[in-house]
Amino acid sequence: MDVGEKGDLLEHEGKQYRFCCASCKWAFEQNPEQFIKS
């Protein structure tokens, strides 16, 4: 999903991630490894 520059911003381990909504950001914060590809 492309959220562009308007999505909620979060920095994790030196990288910035943007999210389409607060609930997606919250899910990432709970378990980022589930969403980050190795």
Side-chain angles (χ1 to χ4, degrees), residues 7-36:
D8 288 340
L9 180 64
L10 175 72
E11 188 169 318
H12 176 74
E13 295 184 353
K15 291 185 80 175
Q16 292 184 342
Y17 298 91
R18 291 197 182 266
F19 302 89
C20 59
C21 63
S23 61
C24 288
K25 181 180 176 183
W26 179 86
F28 180 88
E29 290 174 311
Q30 301 310 301
N31 187 7
E33 292 76 25
Q34 175 184 351
F35 299 96
I36 299 172

